[in-house]
């Protein structure tokens, strides 16, 4: 199955206790796609400004990612600026400049519309819905979102959520969306609204996946080397979705076994993302090194 | 092996979104002992005031707990008052009145001093040390503590920690004690100071156990019914320690397999504790019902 990824390709300014970087490659679609590249060849649908260097587009292409859907606009590129303090579980946003994404109208080719798998990375739910409606033959849809959209566009967001198969949110977002303090209860409430699978990302505490019939819990890889957590959630989703795509036949249902392995694969993949600034951490993950960490995760909670 | 538990037997005033209770049975040693009672018959060393009702002592005795080490003082009983808001992961303390515990001098009988297993529940580390020093033949020592002692008596606390085998702390306490944000790094730093096993309690996020050679992660039991989290950590420790005691021959080393099952047993046990006010939740846990939840935990993270 071939996967289309709609989301941001952006500039990031990042400061962590380990250093500071400006105008580095960021954006949910970038992290997601690089994380999925060891298993599949995704195509990105995004927009960048005239200020965006061609070298970043080429860099993405070197992973086997199809970058032909990255539009050029005359506006500026999406730019996120943020920092992390001692406790790197919390990202502090300095500024978010949507730039070209403020007026982005994704245009899909006829071939794009025929893709079987779609991932709607964190972006305005109105744009997510516009893309979803253009798909003619899609069999598996994943999506991510964030607190900003839950607060400002909940109605639009729910329209998308009702139609996706796999929803990725962090624990605070799941609680916020459901208006319920118990995480398991909150995730089940959302699961009943439409998505067959709700995947709760909990950073260092791992991931909980909730389906109609079961709960699966993956610990996070016990890394001591957290340099820059930016994009870890997108990398998790990229790893997870790519494993599902690579291990499910078109038209077939995702089995519990494949879902569990996909979540573990995502966790292992995300552990590389935090080991370097921008995409330098996730760029080092390959099939062999991810497989090795999946085996560590397997041993971590077995008894 | 027979276990001695030193810690508080107390009154609690508790308010949660599900109700309010005053002067109910509380204290770390109470929760710990009831949680360990399905597998072993612990003996409590504690002090209560003249205001403490005999019915609570009898109630503890009904679980098979040896209450002959609960002293009567002319002062008042230890009294904790606190509340939980919507997010029940955080306990808010209204007041802590040490009462008789402020001047507690634990007196051990000759038989007590010969016990092979000791658990030092959360209490002034100076008292913990006094008990530890009296033991003549102890083979396994577990201990718990809290942020209050880390802040106010770190030196005394470290003296105890250096001599125990298993240290139970929550994630914030582990970070605070080590002065390190990375939880895995922090736990490893403490582990190197003495305790063979550092067990990090993370509430709804489960438990991480760190030994010299391995890391084990147990999810928490996915309960939707959290009524009162007071004593959940003590119940976890009680379940975990009792499993170790019941499944390790005197003089033999704890195996990795037994440790892993003990942590899972503790997690399953603690899941009962949160289901009712005071000790009413944990009182319902028996060998059969805990075993059933251990099996659920096993399936939860297997892939």
């Amino acid at each position: 199955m071939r996967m289309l990824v709609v989301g941001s390709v952006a500039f990031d300014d990042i400061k962590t206790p380990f250093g500071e970087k400006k105008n580095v490659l960021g954006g949910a679609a970038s992290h997601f796609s690089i994380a999925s590249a060891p298993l599949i060849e995704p195509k990105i649908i995004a927009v960048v400004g005239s200020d965006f260097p061609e070298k970043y587009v080429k860099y993405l292409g070197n992973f086997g990612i199809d970058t032909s859907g990255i539009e050029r606009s005359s506006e500026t590129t999406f730019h996120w600026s943020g920092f992390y303090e001692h406790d790197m579980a919390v990202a502090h946003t300095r500024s978010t400049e949507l730039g070209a994404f403020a007026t982005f109208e994704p245009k899909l080719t006829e071939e794009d519309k025929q893709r079987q798998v779609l991932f709607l990375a964190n972006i305005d739910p109105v744009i997510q819905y516009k893309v979803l409606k253009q798909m003619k033959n899609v069999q598996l849809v994943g999506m991510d979102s964030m607190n900003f959209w839950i607060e400002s566009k909940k109605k639009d967001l729910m329209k998308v959520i009702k139609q996706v198969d796999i929803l990725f949110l962090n624990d605070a977002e799941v609680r916020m969306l459901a208006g319920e303090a118990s995480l398991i209860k909150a995730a089940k409430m959302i699961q009943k609204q439409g998505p067959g699978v709700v995947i709760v990302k909990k950073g260092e505490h791992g991931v909980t996946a909730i389906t109609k019939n079961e709960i699966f819990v993956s610990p996070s890889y016990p890394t001591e080397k957290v340099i820059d957590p930016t994009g870890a959630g997108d990398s998790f989703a990229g790893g997870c979705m790519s494993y599902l795509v690579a291990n499910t036949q078109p038209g077939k249902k995702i089995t519990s076994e494949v879902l569990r392995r996909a979540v573990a694969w995502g966790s292992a993949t995300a552990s590389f993302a935090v080991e370097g600034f921008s995409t330098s951490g996730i760029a080092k993950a390959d099939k062999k090194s991810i497989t090795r960490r999946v085996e560590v995760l397997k041993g971590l909670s077995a008894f």
Side-chain angles (χ1 to χ4, degrees), chain A:
Chain A
M1 295 195 282
R2 305 205 64 196
M3 179 157 60
L4 207 61
V5 185
V6 183
S8 57
V9 171
F11 286 130
D12 278 352
D13 294 349
I14 304 163
K15 194 178 172 186
T16 86
F18 299 97
E20 190 167 2
K21 305 276 168 184
K22 280 191 188 295
N23 294 317
V24 289
L25 175 62
S30 309
H31 292 287
F32 179 97
S33 299
I34 298 173
S36 70
L39 295 183
I40 61 168
E41 294 180 4
K43 178 176 179 177
I44 295 179
I45 303 289
V47 62
V48 293
S50 52
D51 52 351
F52 198 71
E54 190 55 29
K55 68 169 182 183
Y56 282 164
V57 179
K58 275 198 186 126
Y59 170 80
L60 288 168
N62 289 341
F63 291 94
I65 297 163
D66 182 347
T67 59
S68 64
I70 302 180
E71 267 181 59
R72 283 270 176 189
S73 141
S74 58
E75 308 199 41
T76 54
T77 300
F78 185 121
H79 202 137
W80 179 76
S81 173
F83 63 97
Y84 301 86
E85 289 177 320
H86 191 53
D87 174 2
M88 288 201 282
V90 185
H92 303 275
T93 293
R94 272 201 184 102
S95 65
T96 305
E97 291 160 30
L98 283 177
F101 267 99
T103 53
F104 181 44
E105 291 279 348
K107 292 169 227 26
L108 307 192
T109 65
E110 206 43 50
E111 204 203 325
D112 293 339
K113 293 175 189 168
Q114 296 294 339
R115 294 251 176 173
Q116 293 163 311
V117 185
L118 172 68
F119 187 75
L120 301 164
N122 173 28
I123 194 177
D124 188 332
V126 175
I127 299 178
Q128 291 180 320
Y129 194 73
K130 275 182 188 164
V131 174
L132 188 56
K133 286 292 107 183
Q134 293 181 61
M135 302 303 285
K136 294 179 174 168
N137 193 26
V138 73
Q139 291 172 30
L140 179 66
V141 183
M143 81 171 278
D144 190 9
S145 193
M146 70 183 293
N147 50 4
F148 180 75
W149 306 119
I150 297 173
E151 279 165 359
S152 63
K153 295 199 175 180
K154 191 167 172 181
K155 218 175 133 185
D156 295 300
L157 185 63
M158 284 314 297
K159 243 170 82 177
V160 189
I161 286 176
K162 278 186 205 310
Q163 300 205 24
V164 304
D165 302 293
I166 308 184
L167 174 65
F168 295 80
L169 288 177
N170 72 33
D171 47 349
E173 290 157 359
V174 166
R175 288 191 165 97
M176 186 190 282
L177 185 61
E180 164 60 47
S182 157
L183 191 57
I184 300 292
K185 208 188 266 185
K188 283 189 179 175
M189 284 164 69
I190 297 169
Q191 197 274 326
K192 279 182 193 135
Q193 295 281 307
V197 185
V198 172
I199 293 186
V200 188
K201 300 174 288 178
K202 303 186 293 179
E204 67 170 355
H205 301 304
V207 174
T208 302
I210 280 137
T211 72
K212 198 181 162 194
N213 303 311
E214 65 170 342
I215 299 176
F216 173 63
V217 177
S218 171
S220 66
Y221 183 83
T223 186
E224 295 177 41
K225 190 187 166 190
V226 178
I227 302 293
D228 171 20
T230 314
D234 302 312
S235 299
F236 167 79
C240 185
M241 287 294 293
S242 67
Y243 190 92
L244 292 175
V245 169
N247 292 280
T248 305
Q249 294 299 318
K252 296 279 179 194
K253 243 183 100 72
I254 293 166
T255 65
S256 161
E257 198 200 336
V258 168
L259 177 65
R260 284 169 175 251
R261 288 201 71 90
V263 170
W265 187 272
S267 293
T269 304
S271 73
F272 288 94
V274 303
E275 292 181 354
F277 274 100
S278 175
T279 59
S280 66
I282 191 65
K284 282 183 189 146
D286 59 20
K287 223 166 150 172
K288 208 173 142 188
S289 59
I290 298 170
T291 303
R292 219 177 291 131
R293 292 197 180 179
V294 167
E295 288 312 303
V296 172
L297 288 174
K298 201 174 163 70
L300 216 55
S301 51
F303 71 90

